[in-house]
């Protein structure tokens, strides 16, 4: 395998329909824009793979598609934990493509220099979106069954929390790290005593157990994961699609986002909803 190969991964699981519905799905909207900004930053030895259960949606986009329709249950495990799919596709990709594999949430867009920054920072430790000073729940301490890679664990572990909007690992050590992450998830899920972000805490735990140093990549990517930012970005991506005939070619980020724009859009959205509700109420009184 090509050890310098860099493969970027996206996950788009549709609950139903796909593009047969009149309104584009949120994950598809987000992925379109994220992929377009990533394509503008790719080098000659990098590629994009989308893991999805609606492969037809991506037939006109220059990406490789992995159809996961038949392995949905395996990805999410016996407890149907959606975010288990993130480390699952990471493990699948690192075994299939080798080199360096980087998972990206769809609600991201790439800033110039991202690919170069990944190459400069990936070495003997993983890439993550950002590292938080908050202490992770330390799920690993509650795991009773032996880890698949117990021999790689170290006493000099650090405790931290990370955001799983970006996860980058390299073949050689990445497989063991991700397998131990999945082990933590599968051991903790049956207890029902876990938070929604179990997958990123399990990853942070596994990084600590392996004695690795995680590298944050936040300066080169925008991850708009809160609700108000998502609303704003969805509206802007739809506008961009209308302007470009339903397509977005490889492009540097062209949607301006800052707290003022988001707040202004939120105010407009809430006012519009309130006015619509008032008109509906007024109509009922007249009738």
């Amino acid at each position: 395998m090509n050890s310098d190969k860099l493969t970027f991964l996206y996950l788009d699981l549709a609950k139903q329909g796909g593009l047969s519905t009149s309104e584009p799905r949120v994950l598809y909207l987000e992925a379109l824009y994220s992929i377009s900004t990533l394509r503008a930053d790719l080098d000659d030895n990098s590629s994009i793979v989308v893991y999805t259960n609606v492969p037809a949606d991506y037939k006109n986009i220059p990406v490789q598609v992995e159809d996961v329709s038949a392995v949905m249950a395996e990805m999410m495990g016996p407890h149907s934990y959606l975010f288990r799919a993130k480390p699952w596709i990471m493990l699948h990709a690192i075994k299939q493509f080798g080199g360096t594999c980087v998972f990206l949430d769809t609600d991201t867009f790439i800033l110039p220099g991202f690919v170069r920054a990944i190459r400069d920072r990936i070495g003997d430790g993983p890439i993550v979106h950002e590292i938080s000073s908050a202490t992770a729940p330390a799920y690993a301490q509650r795991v009773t069954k032996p880890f698949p890679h117990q021999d790689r664990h170290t006493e000099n572990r650090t405790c931290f929390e990370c955001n799983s909007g970006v996860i980058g690992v390299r073949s050689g050590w990445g497989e063991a790290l991700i397998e131990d992450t999945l082990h933590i998830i599968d051991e903790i899920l049956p207890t029902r005593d876990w938070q929604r972000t179990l997958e990123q805490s399990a990853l942070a735990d596994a990084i600590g157990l392996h004695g690795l140093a995680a590298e944050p990549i936040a300066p080169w990517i925008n991850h708009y994961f809160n609700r108000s930012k998502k609303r704003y970005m969805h509206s802007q991506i739809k506008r961009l699609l209308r302007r470009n005939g339903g397509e977005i070619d490889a492009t540097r980020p062209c949607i301006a986002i800052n707290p003022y724009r988001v707040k202004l859009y939120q105010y407009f959205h809430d006012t519009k909803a309130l006015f619509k509700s008032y008109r509906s109420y007024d109509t009922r009184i007249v009738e």
Side-chain angles (χ1 to χ4, degrees):
M1 289 186 181
N2 184 350
S3 61
D4 292 327
K5 182 175 175 57
L6 184 51
T7 307
F8 292 95
L9 316 170
Y10 287 91
L11 177 65
D12 177 2
L13 300 180
K15 291 182 180 179
Q16 59 183 9
L19 287 183
S20 58
T21 55
S22 58
E23 187 73 11
R25 294 180 297 104
V26 164
L27 287 180
Y28 178 75
L29 269 179
E30 294 175 349
L32 273 184
Y33 186 61
S34 186
I35 289 170
S36 72
T37 58
L38 177 56
R39 286 175 56 208
D41 205 60
L42 291 180
D43 58 29
D44 293 337
N45 201 14
S46 53
S47 60
I48 303 172
V49 181
V50 178
Y51 285 75
T52 182
N53 59 344
V54 281
D57 287 8
Y58 291 88
K59 64 183 179 182
N60 296 321
I61 302 174
V63 297
Q64 180 178 333
V65 176
E66 288 284 336
D67 186 355
V68 295
S69 303
V71 292
M72 295 278 283
E74 180 184 341
M75 277 198 310
M76 292 186 282
H79 300 278
S80 299
Y81 177 54
L82 178 61
F83 296 135
R84 186 185 185 276
K86 288 187 183 184
W88 188 95
I89 70 169
M90 287 293 300
L91 185 59
H92 180 276
I94 202 72
K95 288 180 176 179
Q96 179 161 325
F97 305 116
T100 298
C101 292
V102 181
F103 170 84
L104 299 172
D105 272 349
T106 56
D107 54 355
T108 58
F109 61 84
I110 307 307
L111 304 177
F114 175 75
V115 173
R116 183 72 264 162
I118 292 287
R119 290 199 181 280
D120 289 345
R121 282 158 181 74
I122 196 76
D124 296 326
I127 298 286
V128 295
H129 174 239
E130 60 186 1
I131 296 172
S132 167
S133 57
T135 303
Y139 293 115
Q141 297 177 7
R142 294 161 47 194
V143 172
T144 55
K145 291 182 181 177
F147 279 83
H149 301 281
Q150 192 98 29
D151 58 314
R152 291 178 179 245
H153 294 187
T154 175
E155 295 299 324
N156 302 318
R157 61 166 305 207
T158 55
C159 295
F160 63 93
E161 184 63 284
C162 66
N163 183 291
S164 62
V166 182
I167 309 170
V169 299
R170 192 173 180 83
S171 60
W173 52 263
E175 298 91 337
L177 175 67
I178 299 301
E179 284 175 354
D180 277 356
T181 300
L182 285 166
H183 183 69
I184 295 171
I185 292 171
D186 292 343
E187 279 285 287
I188 296 300
L189 279 174
T191 69
R192 300 184 180 275
D193 181 17
W194 46 271
Q195 298 173 9
R196 189 178 68 90
T197 53
L198 168 61
E199 99 287 348
Q200 63 186 30
S201 296
L203 174 65
D205 258 357
I207 293 170
L209 288 171
H210 284 241
L212 301 175
E215 284 279 352
I217 202 72
W220 292 273
I221 188 170
N222 191 303
H223 187 201
Y224 54 94
F225 51 85
N226 71 39
R227 186 179 179 186
S228 57
K229 288 181 180 179
K230 276 179 171 285
R231 279 182 173 176
Y232 170 79
M233 286 299 297
H234 296 165
S235 71
Q236 298 304 304
I237 296 170
K238 288 178 183 178
R239 179 181 295 180
L240 186 62
L241 282 169
R242 287 194 297 269
R243 219 166 44 226
N244 292 282
E247 298 180 358
I248 309 178
D249 204 357
T251 179
R252 293 296 185 189
C254 55
I255 296 175
I257 180 171
N258 58 54
Y260 302 103
R261 287 176 179 268
V262 172
K263 285 181 180 178
L264 184 62
Y265 178 78
Q266 189 67 30
Y267 175 78
F268 168 77
H269 181 276
D270 291 346
T271 303
K272 185 178 178 182
L274 183 63
F275 182 71
K276 184 177 180 181
S277 174
Y278 172 78
R279 289 292 301 270
S280 174
Y281 179 73
D282 187 54
T283 302
R284 289 198 301 272
I285 289 177
V286 172
E287 291 174 350

